Amino acid sequence: MVEATENKMNIQDLEAIAESIGKAIVKQQRTTPKVHTVPETARILRTDATNIRSLIHLGIFKPLLLGTQMIPDVQIDEFINQYAGKNLKRVVADEQLAQKEKRGAI
């Protein structure tokens, strides 16, 4: 009988810990920014801000203008999914060529 009470207390302790961890995760999710500045986006993608500005200019990223250009998490995730494993120098060069051709055709 004593053993069952000790086990019950341990389960209650574990439930309290799990609840505490759950609250911490929810709090962290609320405080995680949903948008990032150009330099923050560059750090996330391990590149420099010039490359991010080039991707914005090419229309690959479509920033929100909130006093400064802000890139939503969703766009960063989509970018990673779309361009994973691709040579971005080639992607940028192809996009630049396509835009030049489009301007010439208009």
Side-chain angles (χ1 to χ4, degrees):
M1 187 76 169
V2 173
E3 218 174 286
T5 304
E6 287 177 8
N7 286 340
K8 189 174 185 179
M9 287 175 50
N10 288 335
I11 290 171
Q12 288 172 344
D13 290 342
L14 290 173
E15 288 174 347
I17 292 169
E19 183 178 346
S20 176
I21 291 171
K23 287 179 182 177
I25 290 170
V26 169
K27 183 178 179 183
Q28 183 179 1
Q29 288 173 344
R30 281 192 217 134
T31 60
T32 303
K34 300 293 184 199
V35 293
H36 304 277
T37 63
V38 169
E40 290 169 345
T41 302
R43 277 192 293 281
I44 290 167
L45 296 175
R46 296 185 180 169
T47 187
D48 59 55
T50 303
N51 288 336
I52 301 302
R53 286 187 186 91
S54 294
L55 294 171
I56 290 169
H57 180 73
L58 292 170
I60 293 172
F61 279 127
K62 295 170 183 67
L64 302 172
L65 299 175
L66 303 170
T68 186
Q69 292 181 324
M70 303 293 282
I71 310 293
D73 280 341
V74 170
Q75 284 191 28
I76 295 170
D77 292 342
E78 288 172 358
F79 175 81
I80 291 169
N81 289 332
Q82 183 174 354
Y83 295 104
K86 294 183 181 176
N87 179 344
L88 285 180
K89 288 184 180 186
R90 168 68 22 219
V91 170
V92 169
D94 290 347
E95 188 65 33
Q96 287 172 333
L97 180 62
Q99 285 189 4
K100 285 180 184 177
E101 289 173 354
K102 190 175 182 181
R103 278 190 296 244
I106 293 177

